[in-house]
Amino acid sequence: MKIRPEILDRWPEVSARLPAGFDLEATARLRGAFTRVREIKNAETLLRLALAYGGLDMSLRETCAWAEAGGIARLSDPSLLERLCKAAPWLGDIVAALIAEQAEVPAGRFAGYRLRALDGTSICRPGADRTTWRLHVGYDLATAQVDQLELTDIHGAENLQRLSYAPGDIVLADRYYARSRDLRPVIEAGADFIVRTGWNSLRLLQPNGEPFDLFAALAAQKEQESELMVRIHEGLSGILCVRP
């Protein structure tokens, strides 16, 4: 069994980063996460247990042993699981409050632009052999902070529309986001994108509308770097001009 004694004294640092003015006790009771004092004495203890279990790679049994060893709480595995399940909406409120607080910080800029990275990660429930949930994360590179989150089930595909945009934003994403139907809304919001793409992910056209031969263009390449203007065929909706 793996116990992490070194984290017992880090709570003051963690609690100092909670949203200003966020009342743990009141919000936990309002959400039904904390309704009565038994093994867990207050909402702060419940949050510590949630962070230990969710963020420190400990099992339910290890978390319970860790809590008892540190004099934090004494409870069984099933009891902890039940408490954490009931606390899910409340934990979501804490994350939302943190994101809202960060959104009030002036966006960092690079040469007048705000660089934002978008990516998704798969989460599997215990015992699952495939993805159970997918977490979509927007990250502001200048402030080094997460600025948007969305949690979906396995059917929540990765796409650029998971973020909201403002003029001057440049979103950075990998090849899974290279879908023609998702690119135009970014530009229509006044933002731009830098997206990796596979050789056949997008239907590329020349500026005059003729088919673009990627392999011929690469064969004709003389320098290590170059820039070509192309268009992206959007099916029935039209054609989008981009610079790869």
Side-chain angles (χ1 to χ4, degrees), residues 15-240:
S15 61
R17 295 180 177 272
L18 292 174
F22 192 91
D23 191 326
L24 291 179
E25 294 293 331
T27 53
R29 292 185 180 278
L30 180 65
R31 279 295 208 169
F34 185 75
T35 56
R36 55 183 176 175
V37 176
R38 294 185 64 183
E39 302 96 339
I40 299 176
K41 303 303 181 183
N42 50 46
E44 178 182 293
T45 300
L46 178 59
L47 179 57
R48 294 183 71 179
L49 290 168
L51 292 174
Y53 175 64
L56 295 170
D57 195 29
M58 293 194 295
S59 67
L60 287 169
R61 181 171 298 180
E62 289 168 341
T63 304
C64 291
W66 166 82
E68 185 171 353
I72 297 170
R74 184 176 183 181
L75 70 171
S76 65
D77 305 5
S79 179
L80 175 59
L81 179 60
E82 180 183 2
R83 293 297 190 96
L84 293 179
C85 289
K86 290 182 179 179
W90 174 61
L91 295 173
D93 290 344
I94 296 174
V95 173
L98 284 168
I99 297 295
E101 191 173 66
Q102 292 175 8
E104 296 177 358
V105 178
R109 298 279 170 172
F110 293 95
Y113 291 95
R114 179 188 181 200
L115 299 183
R116 305 174 69 198
L118 173 62
D119 205 357
T121 184
S122 297
I123 303 173
C124 298
R125 69 185 182 197
D129 60 355
R130 63 191 65 187
T131 299
T132 308
W133 303 282
R134 189 168 284 117
L135 183 64
H136 309 270
V137 181
Y139 187 80
D140 187 316
L141 274 71
T143 60
Q145 292 182 332
V146 172
D147 63 4
Q148 198 162 333
L149 286 174
E150 184 177 357
L151 181 65
T152 66
D153 61 17
I154 188 175
H155 303 293
E158 294 174 287
N159 66 70
L160 292 177
Q161 301 316 302
R162 297 291 177 191
L163 284 183
S164 55
Y165 302 98
D169 286 356
I170 300 179
V171 60
L172 313 175
D174 63 25
R175 61 188 178 89
Y176 294 106
Y177 295 86
R179 299 185 182 92
S180 58
R181 66 178 180 273
D182 298 325
L183 300 179
R184 183 177 290 277
V186 177
I187 293 179
E188 290 177 344
D192 294 287
F193 56 82
I194 299 175
V195 181
R196 292 178 57 204
T197 179
W199 69 270
N200 62 349
S201 299
L202 299 169
R203 184 181 174 188
L204 301 179
L205 304 174
Q206 298 181 47
N208 62 5
E210 294 294 321
F212 176 77
D213 189 332
L214 175 62
F215 295 102
L218 292 175
Q221 179 74 20
K222 302 299 182 181
E223 305 292 335
Q224 289 188 342
E225 297 181 6
S226 69
E227 187 175 278
L228 295 172
M229 178 70 74
V230 298
R231 293 184 174 188
I232 296 175
H233 196 281
E234 299 179 89
L236 297 177
S237 61
I239 296 174
L240 180 66

Side-chain angles (χ1 to χ4, degrees), residues 1-12 48 52 56 58 62-63 65-72:
M1 183 178 293
K2 177 178 59 178
I3 304 299
R4 304 281 298 276
E6 73 274 12
I7 65 175
L8 291 174
D9 298 327
R10 304 301 293 271
W11 175 248
R48 294 183 71 179
L56 295 170
M58 293 194 295
E62 289 168 341
T63 304
W66 166 82
E68 185 171 353
I72 297 170

